[in-house]
Amino acid sequence: KAGVTQTPRYLIKTRGQQVTLSCSPISGHRSVSWYQQTPGQGLQFLFEYFSETQRNKGNFPGRFSGRQFSNSRSEMNVSTLELGDSALYLCASSGQGSTGELFFGEGSRLTVL
Amino acid sequence: EDQVTQSPEALRLQEGESSSLNCSYTVSGLRGLFWYRQDPGKGPEFLFTLYSAGEEKEKERLKATLTKKESFLHITAPKPEDSATYLCAVQVNDHAGNMLTFGGGTRLMVKP
């Protein structure tokens, strides 16, 4: 069974640009969550999607947005990039129920110059 | 505001030297407490879920326990392959779904 796949794995952007990250969950998983990981703040919840609807949202500015497609694949977008957005962005999927047992991808490492 | 604090931030052990990692939490209503392991360059990997005070879970050299205010991850006779960052997270009753609040992690290094 294939795991969670995130693309791209690495990317470099400049301030003011925007970026779109993609996540393909484990087959059959309908919940997809996104987290930002930085050395200073650790893992912070961005948002969760379930059946194409945003179910939870963390405390991030509106520049951070996401969506989920009918095949459960998800994308997140960050507009008007700032230096502080440099981080590892992790996607996680989960199966039936809200068990909190998340299966993480390897992440997309974003560097903003 | 829900808070999760892990200690120590880093821990160095000799192979075979048992120890414990601590996770203290302050939440409005705990739905579940989770332990994850993260290796460098990888996403976190699920280890355990604990739901109520007094509960214990074991897996190989790891045992997780839960009280009303904290959780411990006990590592018995660790091996170098146990070196990783161990993350604690909570899920609360106020939020439906899989939203987790993570602690800062404990970076464990086991030397042969």
Side-chain angles (χ1 to χ4, degrees):
Chain A
K1 199 172 187 181
V4 176
T5 304
Q6 292 189 244
T7 57
R9 290 292 315 281
Y10 303 91
L11 64 166
I12 300 173
K13 294 285 187 178
T14 57
R15 281 180 297 174
Q17 287 187 311
Q18 74 165 18
V19 66
T20 299
L21 308 178
S22 178
C23 172
S24 293
I26 291 172
S27 177
H29 285 190
R30 293 162 64 190
S31 165
V32 174
S33 303
W34 288 89
Y35 288 82
Q36 181 195 66
Q37 187 171 35
T38 60
Q41 299 296 320
L43 265 164
Q44 292 187 288
F45 175 79
L46 281 157
F47 25 66
E48 180 196 8
Y49 287 88
F50 181 82
S51 293
E52 301 180 68
T53 300
Q54 187 178 86
R55 184 154 69 173
N56 285 298
K57 187 177 190 306
N59 295 324
F60 279 82
R63 300 185 297 108
F64 292 81
S65 63
R67 59 177 175 168
Q68 187 180 32
F69 302 96
S70 58
N71 62 358
S72 292
R73 191 178 70 84
S74 177
E75 289 181 347
M76 67 163 283
N77 183 277
V78 188
S79 62
T80 319
L81 285 166
E82 300 177 359
L83 296 179
D85 296 333
S86 294
L88 180 67
Y89 290 89
L90 289 160
C91 169
S93 73
S94 182
Q96 286 288 346
S98 303
T99 63
E101 181 178 342
L102 305 181
F103 294 83
F104 284 86
E106 295 194 327
S108 293
R109 183 164 296 282
L110 171 65
T111 301
V112 182
L113 302 177
Chain B
E1 184 182 331
D2 303 323
Q3 287 195 333
V4 181
T5 305
Q6 292 187 244
S7 62
E9 288 186 10
L11 181 62
R12 289 185 181 220
L13 299 173
Q14 288 296 129
E15 184 172 2
E17 180 187 1
S18 302
S19 188
S20 296
L21 314 183
N22 178 264
C23 169
S24 62
Y25 60 92
T26 306
V27 299
S28 50
L30 182 71
R31 187 144 59 104
L33 184 139
F34 306 86
W35 284 96
Y36 283 81
R37 168 190 170 131
Q38 186 174 23
D39 292 300
K42 305 281 187 180
E45 176 186 353
F46 170 80
L47 291 173
F48 302 109
T49 309
L50 300 166
Y51 292 107
S52 55
E55 190 174 358
E56 298 183 352
K57 293 272 179 75
E58 283 190 69
K59 180 180 179 179
E60 296 180 358
R61 294 175 293 282
L62 301 177
K63 183 167 97 171
T65 62
L66 180 65
T67 73
K68 287 189 176 179
K69 292 185 178 180
E70 57 192 349
S71 176
F72 293 93
L73 185 65
H74 307 277
I75 303 177
T76 302
K79 298 182 177 182
E81 53 262 42
D82 294 322
S83 297
T85 296
Y86 291 85
L87 297 161
C88 170
V90 296
Q91 186 182 32
V92 299
N93 291 325
D94 287 349
H95 300 283
N98 291 301
M99 177 177 171
L100 299 185
T101 300
F102 280 85
T106 293
R107 192 172 71 254
L108 174 66
M109 293 154 281
V110 182
K111 300 216 167 208

